[in-house]
Amino acid sequence: MKTAIAASLFVSMLSAFPAMAQTNQPPVEDFKPSALNQPGQQYPQVNSEGRARFRFVAPQAQHVAVNIGRTQLAKDENGAWVGTSQPLDEGFHYYHLTIDGATVNDGGTLCFYGSSRLESGIEIPAKDQDFYAMKDVPHGHMVQDRYYSKIANAWRRIFVYTPPNYDKNAAARYGVLYLQHGGGEDETGWPVQGKADVILDNLIAEGKAKPFIIVMESSSVGGGGARGGARGAGRGGVANIDFTAGFGRVLTEELIPFIDANYRTLADQAHRGMAGLSMGGMATRQITLANLDKFSHIGIFSGGSISLEDVDKAPGFKEKVKVVFVGYGSREIGNRVGGGVGGDPKVNTEALKQAGINTVFYVSPNTAHEWLTWRRSLHEFAPLLFQD
Amino acid sequence: MKTAIAASLFVSMLSAFPAMAQTNQPPVEDFKPSALNQPGQQYPQVNSEGRARFRFVAPQAQHVAVNIGRTQLAKDENGAWVGTSQPLDEGFHYYHLTIDGATVNDGGTLCFYGSSRLESGIEIPAKDQDFYAMKDVPHGHMVQDRYYSKIANAWRRIFVYTPPNYDKNAAARYGVLYLQHGGGEDETGWPVQGKADVILDNLIAEGKAKPFIIVMESSSVGGGGARGGARGAGRGGVANIDFTAGFGRVLTEELIPFIDANYRTLADQAHRGMAGLSMGGMATRQITLANLDKFSHIGIFSGGSISLEDVDKAPGFKEKVKVVFVGYGSREIGNRVGGGVGGDPKVNTEALKQAGINTVFYVSPNTAHEWLTWRRSLHEFAPLLFQD
């Protein structure tokens, strides 16, 4: 396993360099509209090198810029600002435009909640995109539900993925994964950017994952800071949030009882997991460590890891926890998000393994702190869930 | 009934004039953020007169405009363009900004699919907003589902409202309303702008409507024109679309069988209805008239009406159709959308009543061709459904 990861990392880095070396070459002219465009919109486009081409009509503007791929826009004779990026990593990227000092979205794309605001998004097709592609397999449902939280003093919207044929298997009961977004995102992150439903539908159809329920909730509680924090900014601050106080209480005292009362769950610790990305991974780490009577499966994506010291401080950890999964993008290991929470993830993983704890460390090739890392992490983590 | 409508119309017009007469008065300074703003966003704001105040940071822009409420924006010392609208009608309004010739959305608000693109939206609180307010009542689910259409040669996303306790009443079966959006909108229109789930949850909790299932689908089929047509533009063209050929076939040959196979429906003509707004009303009119073996309840919101000539051409209409509901906004009656499809709605309604057909004509006070008209129309129509 370790050798395979090291090898894939090495290949990744090699394959990344040719793309970066092409910066002075003219782009390959096989551009197609991005899969995330609004219906009928021709721009932005993506080519086989992973370059993006933008086109934005602003005839009287003095300055238009796009904050992705070192793209230079220039105004053409039709008043449209056009430019082509350097090759981008595969997967989903947020971006926005600046027009004469105003931050705006590109009307060509759908909107995605990130950076504590709706942003534009572009999808660079990945070589392994098949695992999150819509296929002719049985599909689960993505259910929008609502519950009232006394702790937050508000109606809260949640999304609940129920696996294929949930409605028809009226006697079946399922394990539940509570799956959290990152800082500046909300409960729409996994259903939309994350493609959680499609990933699970495909895994279940291939017999690689057991059918289970996924619950997606915002970790924002009231006006507090858990929602806030622009991407990139304030990450150090996020690491210092006590998630067990606000969102942790909503989750364990209100949301879990609501889900167990309203969905056909296996309502015990052995069939309940929690995972999250970035800030959601940090929340997962804190909340599971403090509630090992409630969670047996732990997934931390780009949000830290669990050390042997953590294990020693959490009574019964070795007996109660079935899986610890830690995922990162190859381009983010060693940065402050990677190293800042709970120590070096590779060192921690090895230590937990040595201590006899079922631990998996996954590195997504050629991706940074972005959604393809997290889609792949879910894809690797889901087959490990509720196998007993 | 008729007197009540006439009286309410009269009151509506009176109450509208004082608002319009205040145009030279300074606004009442009780502005609050619109309910549709992105989390934490302070602008746009709305006051008790129904005026909107916009604020948009664009320090280097030469010209910024907003296409609603005859609003003049001026740049302040902080580089923000600020302005206050004339009083707006109650309810939901789409809008966008123009900045140095570029059409963009206001980063303060959520995005709503209208005008064949995502637009900004603002909500002017209505005096009767209680009927679409989130309350402490049992809530149904809004389910995102997918099915493959051979006719459209594509996976199609649908939203399915299942009423409260649908999952718990495993033996219960329900009638189904197929509910369509307008031109330039899509399957998100009724779940988001329309608040269809909240309206039904409240009606069911009050015992005013029977629990039923609502299916919301895009009427766009392939690259054809049924989706297209900007709001305001091309409406004459929409009226000439043959909906029975494209979307009508998808609906009757694929979607209805899918729903009846996957949800606990009462799968007969007596428990199946169709309704829609504007273009969706025109589609409803055509598709139900051509498929009276499949639909017993017909709702047309701001999209025409059914004449006695239509009835005479549709064999068995009087026996098969339980309800014809026609709704309009008071400010749109007589315009080309109102009068253009199937004749004068009031004249048609009276003629159908005279012929012994259960027909209801509803006029939404003080609203035009906008979502409050259609929320109210659904609120009036739902209690008439599946009463046998």
Side-chain angles (χ1 to χ4, degrees), chain A residues 8 13 32 61 131 133 142 151 155 163 170 187 193 232 238 284 287 295 305 309 316 344 353 358 361-362 366:
Chain A
S8 89
M13 287 165 128
K32 294 176 188 164
F131 82 84
M142 189 63 80
I151 295 169
W155 282 98
E187 67 273 19
Q193 295 94 299
V238 168
T284 297
I287 293 170
F295 300 99
S305 57
E309 291 71 34
D344 182 295
K353 279 186 183 173
N358 184 15
F361 183 53
Y362 167 74
N366 290 330

Side-chain angles (χ1 to χ4, degrees), chain B residues 16 19 27-28 54 67 76 90 93-94 96-97 105 115 127 131 154 159 186 212 215 247 273 279 306 356 372 386:
Chain B
V28 176
F54 301 93
N67 70 333
D76 70 13
E90 295 179 350
H93 307 287
Y94 294 110
H96 59 253
L97 297 155
N105 285 335
S115 308
K127 291 176 196 68
F131 81 85
F159 291 99
D186 68 8
F212 58 85
V215 178
F247 176 60
M279 185 183 83
I306 290 176
L372 187 53
F386 315 129

Side-chain angles (χ1 to χ4, degrees), chain A residues 305-334:
Chain A
S305 57
I306 290 176
S307 68
L308 213 49
E309 291 71 34
D310 294 326
V311 169
D312 290 340
K313 281 189 236 164
F317 188 100
K318 291 183 191 179
E319 297 72 36
K320 291 175 179 170
V321 174
K322 303 298 179 199
V323 179
V324 175
F325 177 98
V326 174
Y328 271 100
S330 67
R331 299 203 204 284
E332 63 172 332
I333 296 177

Side-chain angles (χ1 to χ4, degrees), chain B residues 195-366:
Chain B
K195 297 179 180 282
D197 55 339
V198 184
I199 292 169
L200 262 290
D201 289 345
N202 289 341
L203 282 172
I204 292 166
E206 294 170 29
K208 291 182 178 170
K210 284 199 176 179
F212 58 85
I213 292 167
I214 306 178
V215 178
M216 291 147 281
E217 152 77 294
S218 168
S219 55
S220 168
V221 176
R227 177 172 221 147
R231 280 188 317 139
R235 275 178 187 148
V238 169
N240 295 325
I241 294 174
D242 179 3
F243 292 100
T244 61
F247 176 60
R249 282 192 59 208
V250 171
L251 174 63
T252 58
E253 298 175 28
E254 300 185 313
L255 180 57
I256 289 175
F258 175 83
I259 294 296
D260 285 337
N262 289 282
Y263 294 82
R264 296 198 314 280
T265 64
L266 292 161
D268 58 9
Q269 185 263 2
H271 297 92
R272 192 179 298 121
M274 182 174 180
L277 70 94
S278 194
M279 185 183 83
M282 300 172 201
T284 297
R285 181 176 167 275
Q286 287 184 21
I287 293 169
T288 55
L289 285 171
N291 294 277
L292 292 181
D293 58 321
K294 295 190 171 61
F295 300 100
S296 51
H297 294 72
I298 303 171
I300 303 175
F301 311 160
S302 308
S305 57
I306 290 176
S307 68
L308 213 49
E309 291 70 36
D310 294 325
V311 170
D312 290 340
K313 281 189 234 164
F317 188 101
K318 291 183 192 180
E319 296 73 36
K320 291 175 178 169
V321 174
K322 302 300 179 199
V323 178
V324 175
F325 177 96
V326 174
Y328 271 99
S330 67
R331 299 203 204 284
E332 64 172 332
I333 295 178
N335 72 11
R336 67 198 176 100
V337 178
V341 181
D344 183 297
K346 287 188 214 175
V347 172
N348 280 346
T349 302
E350 278 310 304
L352 263 62
K353 279 186 184 173
Q354 295 281 333
I357 296 163
N358 184 15
T359 314
V360 174
F361 183 55
Y362 167 73
V363 177
S364 161
N366 290 330

